[in-house]
Amino acid sequence: MVDDDATMVIRDVRPWGGAPADVGVAGDRIAWVRPAGTTPPAPGAEVVEGRGLLALPGLVNTHAHADKSWWGLPWQSYGGEGGTQGRIAHERARRDELGIPSAPVAERVLREYLRTGTTRVRTHVDVDLGLGLRGIEAVREAAAALDGAIELTVVAFPQDGVLRRPGVLELLDRAARAGAEHVGGLDPALIDRDPVGQLDGLFRIAAEHGCGLDIHLHEPGDLGAFEINLILDRVERDGIAPGKVNVAHGFAVVDVDPARRRDLLDRMGALGVTMTTVAPVRMRQLPLAEMDAAGVRFGLGTDGIRDLWSPYGDGDLLGIAWQYARAGGVVRDEDLRRVVELATRDGAAFVTDEVHDLVPGARADVVLLDAENPMDALVRRVPRAAVVAGGRAVDLAALAARPWE
Ligand SMILES: [Zn+2]
């Protein structure tokens, strides 16, 4: 049988480690998945030879800062003061001389994500009185240069504070009106010293424009838990749809005692508030089983990489999944596989589609790895052998592997 619809066939792969299959792609979508060798490619269809490799959906980076990195620039020494306030000040003092944000630098970051199999990205982008919306324009331009290979979702992120910088709420409002999918927030107590005020301002914008909210919450323990409840109160009050509000980091969730954690997570699950984690190495990890039991969907992200906050980070989302699993003591097959699902399929909750998987109708985002199964791919952080992104076969060899060039 010849299938004329498929413009590309990814031949002889093992989706999720299962039986050998061919994957037909039409445009930017998966058209069909059939037993290997049963559907000869139509004349003229592009063929990607899978050679029996493991196939996974594209990795989804749910918490990135694609505007901030100095990837592609010469090495920059770490300087300035520590802590959130210190890093904010250091970044504002040095970013102009590095020429960031800029579309060419952001494009280097996106290319590195792509090289390691990330096909969809939710990126926070700084919006402040110095930059206005220039950063958002830069990352959109960078994504456009990749011709749809990376799908970008933008969070307009007030890194320098909201209420303490009069004019920022108006900027966020403008960003939402201009199409930012989400408006961000940041430590409403420690940065703005007015948690109710910051959150009310953000929720007002969400109510007016129907955009999502994705709020950085580093604040620990009781303070953070109090603020998560302020967020949940507003989600409930405004009747916001599940999946529209995200808490990034949410360190308080692991700080509080088990009974309070269960109450927090149950309420988050019931209201459909999601979380994102960057699997911080020096802290306890979000509890996989408890998150799942409460129905709290969560995503994995690289956070900023190689930027004025930290020299670390390489943009490989599978590396973050490994870090999360290793630091969290994840060892059983079903749990290792679950972490791979979080890094791929379950990222759907944080981007534009309901479904992100190797199934007909999904965006054709496919990563091939020389691994026995998803668990093996995770624990060995297996290099990506081939990447199809939005129906395009990515030329991995053409993507620069060196971050300083
Ligand atoms: Zn962040």
Side-chain angles (χ1 to χ4, degrees):
M1 178 178 116
V2 171
D3 195 299
D4 291 319
D5 290 342
T7 49
M8 172 192 286
V9 177
I10 308 169
R11 200 147 63 177
D12 186 24
V13 295
R14 290 177 295 113
W16 289 100
D22 295 340
V23 178
V25 174
D28 70 346
R29 298 279 141 184
I30 293 175
W32 46 260
V33 180
R34 294 174 182 157
T38 58
T39 310
E46 184 177 0
V47 174
V48 175
E49 294 293 352
R51 310 184 314 278
L53 295 171
L54 170 71
L56 296 174
L59 295 154
V60 181
N61 188 345
T62 67
H63 182 153
H65 292 268
D67 57 325
K68 288 176 181 279
S69 179
W70 41 270
W71 200 274
L73 300 175
W75 181 262
Q76 300 296 318
S77 301
Y78 181 87
E81 303 296 320
T84 305
Q85 300 274 16
R87 301 325 297 164
I88 291 171
H90 179 65
E91 183 171 58
R92 265 125 207 88
R94 288 216 54 215
R95 66 185 178 190
D96 284 354
E97 79 188 73
L98 295 180
I100 51 178
S102 81
V105 178
E107 189 183 327
R108 295 291 299 262
V109 177
L110 297 183
R111 285 184 185 278
E112 185 60 15
Y113 295 157
L114 194 57
R115 197 177 69 83
T116 49
T118 290
T119 55
R120 310 180 93 168
V121 177
R122 181 190 283 200
T123 185
H124 297 257
V125 183
D126 281 15
V127 166
D128 60 41
L129 299 173
L131 293 175
L133 306 185
R134 198 154 56 77
I136 296 180
E137 289 155 15
V139 296
R140 295 267 198 221
E141 192 182 328
L146 297 180
D147 195 27
I150 287 214
E151 185 206 70
L152 206 66
T153 296
V154 166
V155 183
F157 176 47
Q159 175 75 81
D160 192 30
V162 181
L163 300 184
R164 74 172 183 172
R165 304 286 185 235
V168 167
L169 266 181
E170 289 72 19
L171 275 175
L172 296 176
D173 188 84
R174 266 179 52 207
R177 203 174 320 132
E181 288 84 356
H182 306 271
V183 161
L186 174 70
D187 294 348
L190 296 178
I191 295 290
D192 277 351
R193 298 176 182 270
D194 183 357
V196 168
Q198 184 187 119
L199 293 173
D200 279 347
L202 300 178
F203 275 83
R204 206 159 36 238
I205 294 172
E208 188 166 334
H209 300 290
C211 61
L213 294 176
D214 191 335
I215 301 167
H216 274 66
L217 213 59
H218 306 92
E219 293 164 329
D222 289 341
L223 177 61
F226 167 72
E227 291 175 312
I228 290 173
N229 274 312
L230 286 182
I231 291 170
L232 297 171
D233 291 345
R234 281 154 184 76
V235 171
E236 194 166 16
R237 177 196 71 195
D238 295 350
I240 296 181
K244 295 281 274 188
V245 175
N246 184 67
V247 173
H249 300 304
F251 297 144
V253 165
V254 296
D255 288 342
V256 295
D257 65 66
R260 286 186 70 200
R261 176 160 52 250
R262 192 166 55 243
D263 288 347
L264 269 180
L265 291 176
D266 283 348
R267 196 167 176 223
M268 293 176 89
L271 290 169
V273 170
T274 58
M275 290 191 76
T276 47
T277 180
V278 301
V281 289
R282 289 180 295 174
M283 303 182 76
R284 280 167 55 209
Q285 304 301 309
L286 287 180
L288 182 60
E290 290 173 64
M291 303 287 285
D292 278 350
V296 179
R297 294 184 295 174
F298 71 110
L300 305 173
T302 58
D303 214 347
I305 59 168
R306 209 173 170 89
D307 61 17
L308 293 168
W309 287 67
S310 164
Y312 288 99
D314 63 6
D316 183 0
L317 204 272
L318 189 63
I320 295 294
W322 177 89
Q323 192 169 294
Y324 174 76
R326 187 87 201 259
V330 173
V331 289
R332 292 176 189 280
D333 279 7
E334 61 268 32
D335 296 335
L336 291 167
R337 185 185 155 103
R338 184 81 193 92
V339 174
V340 176
E341 289 170 355
L342 289 172
T344 58
R345 188 194 72 182
D346 286 25
F350 300 89
V351 290
T352 57
D353 283 352
E354 305 252 311
V355 175
H356 176 74
D357 204 349
L358 303 177
V359 295
R363 205 177 106 105
D365 291 342
V366 185
V367 180
L368 305 186
L369 309 96
D370 191 3
E372 186 180 354
N373 54 42
M375 297 77 82
D376 177 41
L378 176 67
V379 301
R380 288 195 295 126
R381 291 164 289 171
V382 170
R384 297 346 85 90
V387 176
V388 171
R392 298 155 183 77
V394 177
D395 184 355
L396 294 180
L399 292 171
R402 290 175 156 182
W404 66 89
E405 290 174 347

